[in-house]
Amino acid sequence: THLHPKNIIDLAISTPEMLQSLNPVIAFIGLLSTAIMFLHSKIEFPVVKAIPAAVWVIIIAEIYSHILGFEEGGSLNLMGLICSFDKTFLIDLPNEITQAIVTPDFSAWNTGVFWNVVVAVVLVSSIEGILSVKAIDRLDPLKRKSNVNKELSAAGIGTSISGLLGGLPIIPGIVSSSVAINHNGKGQLTDVFQAVLILLLIVLLGSQLQLIPLAALSGILIHTGYKLLNPSEIGNIYRIGWDQMLIFISTLITTLTTDLLIGIAVG
């Protein structure tokens, strides 16, 4: 069953149906990855702590994928339940990096659809960029303040270049930044190192990256989302005033039930 909930309410309503159609083979790696992310900090073995939790998740997920033969496809009989799996559950990367480069088509520049997309990308990426910057400033142990103008300028230039190569809009990465903070990354070279490392991994180890189950990445994202949701901050907002709490709740509920842009507008 392929379900595509559009918001958190749809997700909650469709949860029983999703659980009924759960694939235990895929669910196991998702649950295991999530458990590794949460339990890693509690393990005192030096060898284990020396390697970040996310790297352990990738290593174990790769082994899991190899053993079961995700790329070739197959199935397991678990107490009478046939669980099928194939490469659709894995990361999908182009065989050649040149295949990912697509030249833009400007033939639709004089249509309303074109400009609707342009405005939406500008507004959403700008707002999300600002929110990401503010969130990271709160997480920063050194309590530094980011230059929002510089961030937006870099994102705008990066998005323009990315678009000309057929890429997606560039925004400050809340996930990668929070992971960097959790592993003592303190400077802008963290981003440079990450970009270079990703490029090298794609070019040199692309075939291995394609064996990573998407469920493993979901475990990493669940942990990152949990770290970003600090219950004490909700208490701090309430202590500032009920009006701030009202804005917070309105923005949260609207964002979860519609999208980020509408949520921010309502707030």
Side-chain angles (χ1 to χ4, degrees):
T1 303
H2 296 281
L3 299 173
H4 302 282
K6 297 180 180 179
N7 53 54
I8 194 69
I9 295 178
D10 287 345
L11 179 62
I13 294 174
S14 58
T15 296
E17 188 176 350
M18 287 193 290
L19 290 176
Q20 289 177 0
S21 59
L22 196 70
N23 186 325
V25 173
I26 306 303
F28 174 76
I29 190 62
L31 292 172
L32 178 62
S33 301
T34 305
I36 292 172
M37 293 299 299
F38 278 94
L39 298 176
H40 180 266
S41 60
K42 301 183 184 339
I43 298 175
E44 299 300 330
F45 291 107
V47 176
V48 174
K49 292 189 77 69
I51 300 176
V55 178
W56 277 117
V57 168
I58 298 303
I59 292 173
I60 294 173
E62 282 260 4
I63 295 173
Y64 186 82
S65 178
H66 270 292
I67 292 175
L68 292 183
F70 267 63
E71 192 168 29
E72 297 80 19
S75 62
L76 286 178
N77 188 333
L78 299 177
M79 295 180 292
L81 178 64
I82 304 299
C83 304
S84 302
F85 47 86
D86 52 40
K87 62 182 180 180
T88 59
F89 293 101
L90 304 177
I91 289 178
D92 183 23
L93 293 175
N95 294 325
E96 298 290 339
I97 196 168
T98 53
Q99 294 177 5
I101 300 177
V102 181
T103 54
D105 178 6
F106 290 102
S107 61
W109 72 269
N110 58 348
T111 64
V113 174
F114 175 89
W115 289 106
N116 282 339
V117 172
V118 170
V119 172
V121 168
V122 171
L123 290 178
V124 172
S125 61
S126 298
I127 293 171
E128 190 167 350
I130 293 172
L131 294 178
S132 297
V133 167
K134 294 302 182 183
I136 293 301
D137 284 351
R138 282 181 170 274
L139 295 176
D140 183 14
L142 301 180
K143 302 302 179 185
R144 293 167 293 183
K145 297 298 179 185
S146 301
N147 186 329
V148 177
N149 290 333
K150 184 183 292 185
E151 289 284 349
L152 291 177
S153 298
I157 295 171
T159 295
S160 300
I161 296 174
S162 175
L164 290 172
L165 297 174
L168 295 172
I170 305 296
I171 60 170
I174 187 69
V175 173
S176 58
S177 298
S178 61
V179 169
I181 289 174
N182 291 334
H183 294 90
N184 299 317
K186 297 179 180 178
Q188 292 181 340
L189 280 178
T190 302
D191 293 330
V192 176
F193 176 75
Q194 180 200 17
V196 172
L197 183 60
I198 290 175
L199 179 61
L200 289 175
L201 285 173
I202 291 175
V203 173
L204 301 178
L205 297 174
S207 60
Q208 294 304 307
L209 291 178
Q210 292 185 92
L211 295 178
I212 300 174
L214 292 169
L217 301 184
S218 69
I220 298 175
L221 289 175
I222 288 172
H223 179 261
T224 301
Y226 175 81
K227 296 284 286 185
L228 288 171
L229 177 63
N230 189 340
S232 64
E233 286 300 323
I234 299 177
N236 291 336
I237 293 172
Y238 178 75
R239 282 189 286 273
I240 293 173
W242 67 267
D243 55 332
Q244 297 300 310
M245 193 65 183
L246 180 62
I247 294 173
F248 172 80
I249 294 175
S250 300
T251 305
L252 177 64
I253 293 176
T254 310
T255 301
L256 291 176
T257 54
T258 56
D259 59 46
L260 179 66
L261 194 58
I262 298 176
I264 297 300
V266 169

PDB file of all heavy atoms in Angstrom, residues 58 93 194-210 212:
ATOM      1  N   ILE A  58      24.954   4.008   9.299  1.00  0.00           N
ATOM      2  CA  ILE A  58      25.249   3.744   7.883  1.00  0.00           C
ATOM      3  C   ILE A  58      25.993   2.424   7.723  1.00  0.00           C
ATOM      4  O   ILE A  58      25.686   1.627   6.821  1.00  0.00           O
ATOM      5  CB  ILE A  58      26.071   4.905   7.284  1.00  0.00           C
ATOM      6  CG1 ILE A  58      25.285   6.206   7.339  1.00  0.00           C
ATOM      7  CG2 ILE A  58      26.475   4.574   5.853  1.00  0.00           C
ATOM      8  CD1 ILE A  58      23.948   6.162   6.651  1.00  0.00           C
ATOM      9  N   LEU A  93      20.875   7.030  -6.709  1.00  0.00           N
ATOM     10  CA  LEU A  93      21.859   7.965  -7.244  1.00  0.00           C
ATOM     11  C   LEU A  93      22.089   7.659  -8.721  1.00  0.00           C
ATOM     12  O   LEU A  93      22.002   6.499  -9.136  1.00  0.00           O
ATOM     13  CB  LEU A  93      23.204   7.842  -6.501  1.00  0.00           C
ATOM     14  CG  LEU A  93      23.239   8.260  -5.032  1.00  0.00           C
ATOM     15  CD1 LEU A  93      24.603   7.944  -4.436  1.00  0.00           C
ATOM     16  CD2 LEU A  93      22.935   9.731  -4.888  1.00  0.00           C
ATOM     17  N   GLN A 194      32.202  19.118   4.954  1.00  0.00           N
ATOM     18  CA  GLN A 194      31.037  18.282   4.646  1.00  0.00           C
ATOM     19  C   GLN A 194      30.798  18.222   3.143  1.00  0.00           C
ATOM     20  O   GLN A 194      30.562  17.142   2.582  1.00  0.00           O
ATOM     21  CB  GLN A 194      29.801  18.815   5.353  1.00  0.00           C
ATOM     22  CG  GLN A 194      28.560  17.978   5.066  1.00  0.00           C
ATOM     23  CD  GLN A 194      27.261  18.732   5.332  1.00  0.00           C
ATOM     24  OE1 GLN A 194      27.257  19.942   5.433  1.00  0.00           O
ATOM     25  NE2 GLN A 194      26.171  18.009   5.436  1.00  0.00           N
ATOM     26  N   ALA A 195      30.859  19.380   2.470  1.00  0.00           N
ATOM     27  CA  ALA A 195      30.615  19.433   1.029  1.00  0.00           C
ATOM     28  C   ALA A 195      31.658  18.615   0.265  1.00  0.00           C
ATOM     29  O   ALA A 195      31.322  17.855  -0.649  1.00  0.00           O
ATOM     30  CB  ALA A 195      30.618  20.885   0.554  1.00  0.00           C
ATOM     31  N   VAL A 196      32.931  18.785   0.636  1.00  0.00           N
ATOM     32  CA  VAL A 196      34.011  18.048  -0.036  1.00  0.00           C
ATOM     33  C   VAL A 196      33.857  16.549   0.211  1.00  0.00           C
ATOM     34  O   VAL A 196      34.029  15.727  -0.703  1.00  0.00           O
ATOM     35  CB  VAL A 196      35.390  18.537   0.459  1.00  0.00           C
ATOM     36  CG1 VAL A 196      36.507  17.647  -0.088  1.00  0.00           C
ATOM     37  CG2 VAL A 196      35.627  19.979   0.031  1.00  0.00           C
ATOM     38  N   LEU A 197      33.510  16.185   1.449  1.00  0.00           N
ATOM     39  CA  LEU A 197      33.359  14.772   1.791  1.00  0.00           C
ATOM     40  C   LEU A 197      32.206  14.144   1.013  1.00  0.00           C
ATOM     41  O   LEU A 197      32.327  13.024   0.490  1.00  0.00           O
ATOM     42  CB  LEU A 197      33.116  14.626   3.293  1.00  0.00           C
ATOM     43  CG  LEU A 197      33.007  13.197   3.836  1.00  0.00           C
ATOM     44  CD1 LEU A 197      34.283  12.422   3.555  1.00  0.00           C
ATOM     45  CD2 LEU A 197      32.721  13.207   5.330  1.00  0.00           C
ATOM     46  N   ILE A 198      31.074  14.863   0.910  1.00  0.00           N
ATOM     47  CA  ILE A 198      29.927  14.344   0.152  1.00  0.00           C
ATOM     48  C   ILE A 198      30.301  14.141  -1.315  1.00  0.00           C
ATOM     49  O   ILE A 198      29.972  13.117  -1.921  1.00  0.00           O
ATOM     50  CB  ILE A 198      28.723  15.296   0.276  1.00  0.00           C
ATOM     51  CG1 ILE A 198      28.158  15.250   1.698  1.00  0.00           C
ATOM     52  CG2 ILE A 198      27.632  14.928  -0.731  1.00  0.00           C
ATOM     53  CD1 ILE A 198      27.047  16.259   1.942  1.00  0.00           C
ATOM     54  N   LEU A 199      31.020  15.121  -1.886  1.00  0.00           N
ATOM     55  CA  LEU A 199      31.432  15.014  -3.283  1.00  0.00           C
ATOM     56  C   LEU A 199      32.333  13.802  -3.498  1.00  0.00           C
ATOM     57  O   LEU A 199      32.154  13.027  -4.445  1.00  0.00           O
ATOM     58  CB  LEU A 199      32.150  16.296  -3.715  1.00  0.00           C
ATOM     59  CG  LEU A 199      32.658  16.337  -5.159  1.00  0.00           C
ATOM     60  CD1 LEU A 199      31.498  16.199  -6.134  1.00  0.00           C
ATOM     61  CD2 LEU A 199      33.429  17.624  -5.422  1.00  0.00           C
ATOM     62  N   LEU A 200      33.295  13.619  -2.596  1.00  0.00           N
ATOM     63  CA  LEU A 200      34.220  12.483  -2.718  1.00  0.00           C
ATOM     64  C   LEU A 200      33.482  11.153  -2.568  1.00  0.00           C
ATOM     65  O   LEU A 200      33.754  10.195  -3.292  1.00  0.00           O
ATOM     66  CB  LEU A 200      35.326  12.591  -1.660  1.00  0.00           C
ATOM     67  CG  LEU A 200      36.365  13.695  -1.879  1.00  0.00           C
ATOM     68  CD1 LEU A 200      37.328  13.763  -0.703  1.00  0.00           C
ATOM     69  CD2 LEU A 200      37.137  13.457  -3.179  1.00  0.00           C
ATOM     70  N   LEU A 201      32.540  11.121  -1.616  1.00  0.00           N
ATOM     71  CA  LEU A 201      31.783   9.886  -1.409  1.00  0.00           C
ATOM     72  C   LEU A 201      30.956   9.526  -2.634  1.00  0.00           C
ATOM     73  O   LEU A 201      30.889   8.362  -3.042  1.00  0.00           O
ATOM     74  CB  LEU A 201      30.872  10.030  -0.187  1.00  0.00           C
ATOM     75  CG  LEU A 201      31.555   9.969   1.181  1.00  0.00           C
ATOM     76  CD1 LEU A 201      30.563  10.296   2.290  1.00  0.00           C
ATOM     77  CD2 LEU A 201      32.176   8.605   1.420  1.00  0.00           C
ATOM     78  N   ILE A 202      30.319  10.546  -3.244  1.00  0.00           N
ATOM     79  CA  ILE A 202      29.484  10.295  -4.422  1.00  0.00           C
ATOM     80  C   ILE A 202      30.338   9.832  -5.599  1.00  0.00           C
ATOM     81  O   ILE A 202      29.984   8.889  -6.319  1.00  0.00           O
ATOM     82  CB  ILE A 202      28.687  11.551  -4.796  1.00  0.00           C
ATOM     83  CG1 ILE A 202      27.623  11.834  -3.723  1.00  0.00           C
ATOM     84  CG2 ILE A 202      28.018  11.392  -6.162  1.00  0.00           C
ATOM     85  CD1 ILE A 202      26.862  13.113  -3.943  1.00  0.00           C
ATOM     86  N   VAL A 203      31.493  10.483  -5.796  1.00  0.00           N
ATOM     87  CA  VAL A 203      32.353  10.164  -6.940  1.00  0.00           C
ATOM     88  C   VAL A 203      33.064   8.821  -6.745  1.00  0.00           C
ATOM     89  O   VAL A 203      33.127   7.989  -7.663  1.00  0.00           O
ATOM     90  CB  VAL A 203      33.384  11.285  -7.164  1.00  0.00           C
ATOM     91  CG1 VAL A 203      34.382  10.880  -8.248  1.00  0.00           C
ATOM     92  CG2 VAL A 203      32.674  12.581  -7.564  1.00  0.00           C
ATOM     93  N   LEU A 204      33.602   8.596  -5.530  1.00  0.00           N
ATOM     94  CA  LEU A 204      34.433   7.415  -5.301  1.00  0.00           C
ATOM     95  C   LEU A 204      33.653   6.207  -4.788  1.00  0.00           C
ATOM     96  O   LEU A 204      34.009   5.067  -5.076  1.00  0.00           O
ATOM     97  CB  LEU A 204      35.553   7.753  -4.309  1.00  0.00           C
ATOM     98  CG  LEU A 204      36.495   8.896  -4.730  1.00  0.00           C
ATOM     99  CD1 LEU A 204      37.517   9.159  -3.632  1.00  0.00           C
ATOM    100  CD2 LEU A 204      37.195   8.561  -6.043  1.00  0.00           C
ATOM    101  N   LEU A 205      32.601   6.472  -4.012  1.00  0.00           N
ATOM    102  CA  LEU A 205      31.877   5.361  -3.381  1.00  0.00           C
ATOM    103  C   LEU A 205      30.384   5.392  -3.693  1.00  0.00           C
ATOM    104  O   LEU A 205      29.578   4.952  -2.878  1.00  0.00           O
ATOM    105  CB  LEU A 205      32.094   5.399  -1.854  1.00  0.00           C
ATOM    106  CG  LEU A 205      33.533   5.211  -1.372  1.00  0.00           C
ATOM    107  CD1 LEU A 205      33.600   5.427   0.129  1.00  0.00           C
ATOM    108  CD2 LEU A 205      34.042   3.820  -1.733  1.00  0.00           C
ATOM    109  N   GLY A 206      30.040   5.926  -4.850  1.00  0.00           N
ATOM    110  CA  GLY A 206      28.633   6.034  -5.216  1.00  0.00           C
ATOM    111  C   GLY A 206      27.920   4.695  -5.205  1.00  0.00           C
ATOM    112  O   GLY A 206      26.767   4.586  -4.781  1.00  0.00           O
ATOM    113  N   SER A 207      28.598   3.636  -5.660  1.00  0.00           N
ATOM    114  CA  SER A 207      27.982   2.315  -5.711  1.00  0.00           C
ATOM    115  C   SER A 207      27.646   1.811  -4.322  1.00  0.00           C
ATOM    116  O   SER A 207      26.654   1.085  -4.126  1.00  0.00           O
ATOM    117  CB  SER A 207      28.905   1.322  -6.421  1.00  0.00           C
ATOM    118  OG  SER A 207      30.146   1.219  -5.730  1.00  0.00           O
ATOM    119  N   GLN A 208      28.472   2.171  -3.324  1.00  0.00           N
ATOM    120  CA  GLN A 208      28.212   1.750  -1.947  1.00  0.00           C
ATOM    121  C   GLN A 208      27.115   2.594  -1.305  1.00  0.00           C
ATOM    122  O   GLN A 208      26.297   2.090  -0.522  1.00  0.00           O
ATOM    123  CB  GLN A 208      29.495   1.834  -1.116  1.00  0.00           C
ATOM    124  CG  GLN A 208      30.579   0.864  -1.540  1.00  0.00           C
ATOM    125  CD  GLN A 208      30.088  -0.589  -1.529  1.00  0.00           C
ATOM    126  OE1 GLN A 208      29.560  -1.066  -0.536  1.00  0.00           O
ATOM    127  NE2 GLN A 208      30.251  -1.284  -2.647  1.00  0.00           N
ATOM    128  N   LEU A 209      27.096   3.888  -1.622  1.00  0.00           N
ATOM    129  CA  LEU A 209      26.053   4.754  -1.070  1.00  0.00           C
ATOM    130  C   LEU A 209      24.675   4.307  -1.518  1.00  0.00           C
ATOM    131  O   LEU A 209      23.694   4.463  -0.790  1.00  0.00           O
ATOM    132  CB  LEU A 209      26.292   6.207  -1.510  1.00  0.00           C
ATOM    133  CG  LEU A 209      27.508   6.932  -0.925  1.00  0.00           C
ATOM    134  CD1 LEU A 209      27.603   8.336  -1.502  1.00  0.00           C
ATOM    135  CD2 LEU A 209      27.426   7.005   0.590  1.00  0.00           C
ATOM    136  N   GLN A 210      24.597   3.740  -2.702  1.00  0.00           N
ATOM    137  CA  GLN A 210      23.308   3.285  -3.228  1.00  0.00           C
ATOM    138  C   GLN A 210      22.779   2.060  -2.503  1.00  0.00           C
ATOM    139  O   GLN A 210      21.653   1.640  -2.736  1.00  0.00           O
ATOM    140  CB  GLN A 210      23.420   3.002  -4.726  1.00  0.00           C
ATOM    141  CG  GLN A 210      23.647   4.249  -5.559  1.00  0.00           C
ATOM    142  CD  GLN A 210      23.628   3.972  -7.044  1.00  0.00           C
ATOM    143  OE1 GLN A 210      22.591   4.060  -7.691  1.00  0.00           O
ATOM    144  NE2 GLN A 210      24.766   3.632  -7.592  1.00  0.00           N
ATOM    145  N   ILE A 212      22.537   2.029   0.825  1.00  0.00           N
ATOM    146  CA  ILE A 212      22.027   2.484   2.120  1.00  0.00           C
ATOM    147  C   ILE A 212      20.500   2.511   2.078  1.00  0.00           C
ATOM    148  O   ILE A 212      19.913   3.203   1.248  1.00  0.00           O
ATOM    149  CB  ILE A 212      22.555   3.883   2.462  1.00  0.00           C
ATOM    150  CG1 ILE A 212      24.083   3.880   2.521  1.00  0.00           C
ATOM    151  CG2 ILE A 212      21.982   4.367   3.791  1.00  0.00           C
ATOM    152  CD1 ILE A 212      24.688   5.261   2.715  1.00  0.00           C
TER     153      ILE A 212
END
